[in-house]
C-alpha cells in the first residue's frame, strides 16, 4: 500500500511538528512534506504528488486563501484542508468558495484533525464540530 | 436776524441821508421840495432801522463811546435774569463765566480804545445756573458831526451749534482713530466718472506718498495685484446688480511690484431715485497680519493632521503586529500544548487505581479547558487590536462580520448590504472606514436606544459611500457639534485624513444617519475570454 502523502503548510514549526506527532505510532505509512510559506508550498505542489494539503491561512505576509486558489488552479483535484486559528464565518465561507474540502480550527482536538485529514483524503468534506455549532455551516 | 454787515449798510444809509440833510441846510437852499425829499429819505431809513431793531431788539446791543451798554437787551434779561440796571454800563461782565470775564473785559477795553469792530464768544451764565456760549458782534456806529457815537451789535446763542460742532468733531476724531486702530480706509467710487476718493489715511495705510495716490478706478486697478485685478473688476460689476461688494485682494507697490499687503473690502452701491447706480462706497481693512496668521494656522493644522495620520498609522501597524503575533505565535504554541496534554491523557494507564486514574483524567481535562479559554482570550484580544479579516478578506467581509458580532452581542438586528463586491481601497482608507464603523456601533450601543441598525456600502464613479443608520432617539445638534464629543471629532479627523467627508444627521426620535464618502476608483471589470464571450 502506498504511503499517504501529506503536505503541511504552516509558518510555525511547532504546529508542523505537532501534526507529525499526531500520526506517530500510526501503522499506516505517512510521508510528510513541509512548507513554511506560500511560495514553497506552490513549488512543492507543482513538483510532487500529494494526497492532501493541510494549509494555514496566515502564512507570514501571504494570505493562505490566495495560496489555496493558486493550488486549485495547478491541481484542481488536490484536497486542501484548512487548518487555522481563525474561526470566523467569513473565513470559512471564503475557504470553501475557494475550493477547500474541509476546515479545522487549531483549537480542535488532535483526533478531529486526524479525522479531518482522513476524510479529506477520501474526498469528503469536514468541518470542525465547534464551527458547525456557531456558524450554521454544514 | 440781520447780520453786522447789513446793519452797517443801513447805518451808512442813515449817515448819508443825514449828511445830505446837513448839506442841504448848510447851503441854504431855497427849494423846499429838495429838503422834503431828503427828510423823507431820512425818515424811511430810520423807520427801516427801527423795524429791524424791533424785530431783533432782543438780540441787539448798543454801547456808547465809552463802551457802556446803554439800551435794554430783552434777550439778556430773559437769559441771565439780570435787570437793565444790573447789566448796563460794564456790569454785564458779571454774568460771564469767571474764566472768560477777565479776557473779555480786556478785549472790550481795547476795542473801545481803538473804536474798532468786535467779534468774540464767551460763556454767559443763564438764570438757571447753566452756562451757554454766546457770540457777540459789533460795529462802530457812524460818526455824526465828527462825534463818535459808539457801537451797535448782535448777540447770538451759539451753544447748541457749538455742541453740535464739537460732537461732530469728536465723531470725526473717533472715526479717524477707529480707522487708524483698525487699519481701515474708506473709499468712494463715482460710477459715472470713475473717480475714486479715499479717506485721508489711505496713503499712510498703504505706505505710499500722497503725491503717488491716484484718483481714478484705473489707477486703483493697476495698484491691485495682477492676480486679483480681474476678480475685483468682476466684483464691481456684480455690485451694480447685487448692491453689495465684498472681496479680499492685494495691493502692489507701483514702483517695486512688491505686495504691500492683503486687504478686505466691503461696500455697497448707492442708487439714484430712478434706480440707476451712481456710486460704490465702502471701507477696506488691512488683513495682512490676519492672512499671515491664517496661513500659519493652516500650515500648523496640516502638520497636526499629518502627525495625527502618522500616529494613527503607527498605532494600527503596532496593533496589527501584536494581533498577528498573539494570534499566530501564541495561538500556535497553545495548540501544540493542547495536543501534548491530549497525548499525556492517552498515556494514563488503563489499569490502576480508579480514583487516581479519574483524578488525572479530570486534571488533564481541566487543563485542556484552561487552554481553550486562553486561546479564546487570545482570539478576542487579537481581534480587538485589529481583526485579521480586514487585512485578509477585505473591508466588506470585515464590516459584515463585525455587524454580525454586534448583533450577536447586543441582540440589536444589524443588516448589511453592499452594491460592490470588490472594494479596492488603500490600507489607510480601509482602516479609517472600519474604525469609523466601530465608533458608530459604540455610539449606537451607548446612546441611541435603537432597535435596528442598517449598514450599506455603495460604489459610485468617483466615491465610495458608507452609510450606517439607526432608528434611535437621534443625535441632537448640540451633541453633534459639542467640543466634548471626541468620538465624533475623531471620526471627522479620520475621514479628512483619507480625503473623505463625513455627515452626521439626527432626527429626534427617528434616528441617526452617518454617511461617509471616500474617494475611490472603481476596479476595472476583468476582460472576458473569447470562450466566455461566445458562451454569453
Amino acid at each position: 500500500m502506498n504511503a499517504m502523502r501529506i503536505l503541511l503548510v504552516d509558518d510555525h514549526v511547532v504546529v508542523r511538528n505537532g501534526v507529525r506527532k499526531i500520526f506517530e505510532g500510526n501503522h499506516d505509512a505517512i510521508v510528510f512534506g513541509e512548507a513554511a510559506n506560500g511560495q514553497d508550498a506552490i513549488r512543492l505542489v507543482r513538483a510532487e504528488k500529494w494526497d492532501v494539503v493541510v494549509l494555514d491561512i496566515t502564512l507570514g505576509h501571504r494570505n493562505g486563501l490566495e495560496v489555496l486558489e493558486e493550488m486549485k488552479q495547478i491541481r484542481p483535484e488536490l484536497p486542501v484542508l484548512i487548518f487555522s486559528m481563525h474561526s470566523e464565518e467569513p473565513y470559512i465561507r471564503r475557504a470553501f468558495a475557494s475550493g477547500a474540502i474541509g476546515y479545522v480550527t487549531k483549537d480542535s482536538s488532535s483526533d478531529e484533525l486526524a479525522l479531518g485529514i482522513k476524510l479529506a483524503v477520501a474526498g469528503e468534506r469536514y468541518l470542525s464540530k465547534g464551527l458547525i455549532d456557531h456558524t450554521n455551516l454544514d | 436776524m440781520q447780520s453786522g454787515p447789513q446793519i452797517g449798510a443801513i447805518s451808512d444809509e442813515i449817515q448819508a441821508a443825514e449828511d445830505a440833510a446837513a448839506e442841504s441846510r448848510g447851503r441854504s437852499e431855497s427849494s423846499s421840495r429838495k429838503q422834503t425829499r431828503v427828510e423823507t429819505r431820512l425818515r424811511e431809513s430810520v423807520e427801516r432801522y427801527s423795524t429791524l431793531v424791533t424785530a431783533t431788539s432782543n438780540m441787539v446791543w448798543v454801547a456808547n463811546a465809552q463802551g457802556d451798554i446803554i439800551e435794554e437787551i430783552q434777550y439778556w434779561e430773559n437769559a441771565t435774569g439780570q435787570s437793565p440796571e444790573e447789566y448796563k454800563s460794564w456790569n454785564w461782565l458779571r454774568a460771564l463765566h469767571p474764566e472768560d470775564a477777565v479776557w473779555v473785559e480786556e478785549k472790550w477795553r481795547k476795542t473801545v480804545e481803538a473804536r474798532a469792530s468786535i467779534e468774540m464768544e464767551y460763556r454767559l451764565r443763564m438764570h438757571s445756573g447753566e452756562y451757554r456760549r454766546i457770540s457777540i458782534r459789533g460795529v462802530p456806529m457812524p460818526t455824526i458831526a465828527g462825534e463818535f457815537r459808539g457801537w451797535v451789535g448782535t448777540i447770538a446763542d451759539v451753544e447748541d451749534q457749538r455742541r453740535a460742532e464739537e460732537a461732530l468733531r469728536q465723531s470725526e476724531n473717533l472715526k479717524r482713530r477707529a480707522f487708524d486702530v483698525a487699519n481701515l480706509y474708506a473709499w468712494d467710487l463715482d460710477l459715472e466718472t470713475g473717480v475714486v476718493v479715499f479717506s485721508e489715511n489711505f496713503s499712510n495705510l498703504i505706505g505710499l506718498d500722497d503725491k503717488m495716490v491716484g484718483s481714478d478706478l484705473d489707477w486703483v486697478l493697476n495698484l491691485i495685484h495682477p492676480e486679483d485685478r480681474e476678480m475685483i473688476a468682476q466684483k464691481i460689476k456684480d455690485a451694480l446688480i447685487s448692491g453689495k461688494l465684498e472681496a479680499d485682494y492685494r495691493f502692489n507697490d507701483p514702483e517695486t511690484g512688491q505686495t504691500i499687503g492683503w486687504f478686505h473690502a466691503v461696500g455697497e452701491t448707492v442708487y439714484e431715485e430712478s434706480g440707476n447706480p451712481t456710486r460704490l462706497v465702502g471701507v477696506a481693512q488691512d488683513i495682512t497680519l490676519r492672512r499671515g496668521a491664517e496661513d500659519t494656522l493652516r500650515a500648523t493644522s496640516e502638520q497636526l493632521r499629518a502627525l495625527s495620520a502618522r500616529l494613527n498609522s503607527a498605532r494600527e501597524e503596532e496593533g496589527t503586529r501584536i494581533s498577528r503575533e498573539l494570534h499566530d505565535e501564541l495561538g500556535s504554541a497553545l495548540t501544540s500544548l493542547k495536543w501534548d496534554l491530549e497525548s499525556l491523557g492517552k498515556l494514563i494507564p488503563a489499569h490502576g487505581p480508579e480514583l487516581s486514574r479519574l483524578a488525572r483524567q479530570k486534571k488533564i481535562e481541566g487543563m485542556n479547558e484552561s487552554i481553550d479559554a486562553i486561546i479564546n482570550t487570545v482570539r478576542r484580544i487579537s481581534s480587538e487590536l485589529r481583526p485579521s479579516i480586514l487585512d485578509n478578506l477585505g473591508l466588506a467581509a470585515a464590516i459584515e462580520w463585525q455587524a454580525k458580532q454586534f448583533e450577536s452581542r447586543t441582540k440589536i438586528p444589524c443588516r448589511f448590504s453592499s452594491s460592490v463586491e470588490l472594494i479596492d481601497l488603500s490600507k489607510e482608507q480601509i482602516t479609517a472606514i472600519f474604525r469609523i464603523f466601530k465608533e458608530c456601533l459604540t455610539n449606537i450601543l451607548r446612546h441611541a436606544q435603537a432597535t435596528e441598525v442598517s449598514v450599506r456600502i455603495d460604489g459610485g464613479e468617483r466615491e465610495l459611500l458608507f452609510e450606517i443608520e439607526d432608528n434611535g432617539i437621534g443625535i441632537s445638534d448640540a451633541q453633534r457639534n459639542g467640543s466634548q464629543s471626541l468620538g465624533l471629532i475623531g471620526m471627522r479627523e479620520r475621514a479628512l485624513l483619507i480625503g473623505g467627508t463625513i455627515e452626521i444627521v439626527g432626527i429626534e426620535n427617528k434616528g441617526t444617519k452617518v454617511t461617509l464618502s471616500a474617494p475611490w476608483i472603481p476596479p476595472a471589470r476583468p476582460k472576458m475570454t473569447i470562450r466566455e464571450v461566445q458562451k454569453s
Side-chain angles (χ1 to χ4, degrees), chain A residues 63 85-86 91 106-107 110, chain B residues 335 338 342 379 388 392:
Chain A
N63 186 330
M85 277 291 288
H86 297 298
Y91 282 109
K106 284 184 178 174
D107 58 347
S110 54
Chain B
T335 299
K338 190 179 160 80
E342 284 174 11
R379 276 200 183 117
S388 64
N392 293 332

Side-chain angles (χ1 to χ4, degrees), chain B residues 165-224:
Chain B
E165 285 170 0
E166 180 60 24
L168 180 62
R169 198 170 24 253
Q170 283 183 1
S171 168
E172 288 294 314
N173 281 344
L174 192 60
K175 192 174 78 178
R176 244 193 308 276
R177 244 183 297 144
F179 269 36
D180 287 339
V181 163
N183 290 328
L184 276 171
Y185 69 86
W187 48 270
D188 186 327
L189 165 65
D190 187 317
L191 292 168
E192 196 176 340
T193 63
V195 169
V196 182
V197 175
F198 296 103
S199 55
E200 60 188 38
N201 66 334
F202 174 70
S203 58
N204 195 44
L205 188 59
I206 65 168
L208 285 185
D209 198 279
D210 277 341
K211 296 193 194 81
M212 293 179 68
V213 175
S215 60
D216 58 64
L217 183 56
D218 286 337
W219 178 84
V220 174
L221 288 173
N222 277 331
L223 192 67
I224 288 175

Side-chain angles (χ1 to χ4, degrees), chain A residues 12 14-15 18-19 58 63 65 83 85-91 94 105-111 113, chain B residues 324 327-329 331-333 335-336 338-340 342 346 372 375-376 378-379 388-389 392-393 397 401 404:
Chain A
H12 293 96
V14 67
V15 171
V19 176
T58 312
N63 186 330
L65 296 171
F83 184 49
M85 277 291 288
H86 297 298
S87 60
E88 296 92 345
E89 190 176 322
Y91 282 109
R94 176 80 182 271
T105 53
K106 284 184 178 174
D107 58 347
S108 305
S109 66
S110 54
D111 290 341
L113 178 60
Chain B
R324 191 171 286 154
H327 204 259
D328 290 354
E329 304 291 337
S332 298
T335 299
S336 184
K338 190 179 160 80
W339 290 345
D340 284 343
E342 284 174 11
K346 287 172 184 167
D372 284 340
I375 289 175
N376 283 335
V378 163
R379 276 200 183 117
S388 64
I389 291 177
N392 293 332
L393 301 182
W401 170 77
K404 283 187 179 162

Side-chain angles (χ1 to χ4, degrees), chain B residues 213-249:
Chain B
V213 175
S215 60
D216 58 64
L217 183 56
D218 286 337
W219 178 84
V220 174
L221 288 173
N222 277 331
L223 192 67
I224 288 175
H225 194 290
E227 290 172 7
D228 302 333
R229 260 176 224 157
E230 200 178 316
M231 178 267 299
I232 290 294
Q234 187 59 48
K235 291 265 183 185
I236 291 173
K237 277 189 197 150
D238 293 342
L240 303 185
I241 301 166
S242 69
K244 301 263 181 223
L245 178 145
E246 187 164 1
D248 286 2
Y249 55 92

Side-chain angles (χ1 to χ4, degrees), chain B residues 335-401:
Chain B
T335 299
S336 184
L337 183 63
K338 190 179 160 80
W339 290 345
D340 284 343
L341 262 179
E342 284 174 11
S343 303
L344 195 63
K346 287 172 184 167
L347 290 175
I348 293 173
H351 309 289
E354 177 80 5
L355 271 175
S356 69
R357 189 173 62 83
L358 280 174
R360 272 195 286 261
Q361 195 70 38
K362 208 168 158 71
K363 191 79 179 167
I364 287 170
E365 280 169 13
M367 289 167 76
N368 236 326
E369 281 168 13
S370 295
I371 292 174
D372 284 340
I374 294 170
I375 289 175
N376 283 335
T377 300
V378 163
R379 276 200 183 117
R380 182 179 57 76
I381 292 172
S382 168
S383 175
E384 282 170 9
L385 277 169
R386 185 174 175 89
S388 64
I389 291 177
L390 198 54
D391 298 315
N392 293 332
L393 301 182
L395 180 64
I399 288 180
E400 185 179 9
W401 170 77

Side-chain angles (χ1 to χ4, degrees), chain B residues 399-465:
Chain B
I399 288 180
E400 185 179 9
W401 170 77
Q402 189 72 54
K404 283 187 179 162
Q405 294 290 104
F406 176 81
E407 184 171 327
S408 166
R409 204 168 63 246
T410 65
K411 310 302 173 210
I412 300 173
C414 188
R415 222 174 39 248
F416 170 75
S417 62
S418 174
S419 68
V420 289
E421 283 182 27
L422 184 61
I423 301 176
D424 189 14
L425 292 170
S426 69
K427 191 174 177 189
E428 288 74 22
Q429 285 174 310
I430 287 172
T431 302
I433 294 171
F434 186 76
R435 293 295 176 204
I436 287 170
F437 172 55
K438 282 205 74 179
E439 183 70 32
C440 287
L441 289 180
T442 303
N443 289 337
I444 288 170
L445 188 60
R446 281 184 189 161
H447 309 296
Q449 297 175 37
T451 57
E452 261 178 31
V453 179
S454 71
V455 185
R456 177 154 182 83
I457 296 179
D458 274 315
E461 285 292 316
R462 289 206 180 93
E463 61 180 13
L464 188 77
L465 275 182

Side-chain angles (χ1 to χ4, degrees), chain B residues 302-328:
Chain B
E302 283 166 8
Q303 283 174 354
L304 281 172
R305 192 151 282 141
L307 181 62
S308 174
R310 185 69 197 95
L311 285 171
N312 274 341
S313 185
R315 196 167 59 222
E316 290 294 337
E317 284 167 17
E318 186 69 3
T320 303
R321 187 184 64 77
I322 295 172
S323 169
R324 191 171 286 154
E325 290 199 18
L326 266 179
H327 204 259
D328 290 354

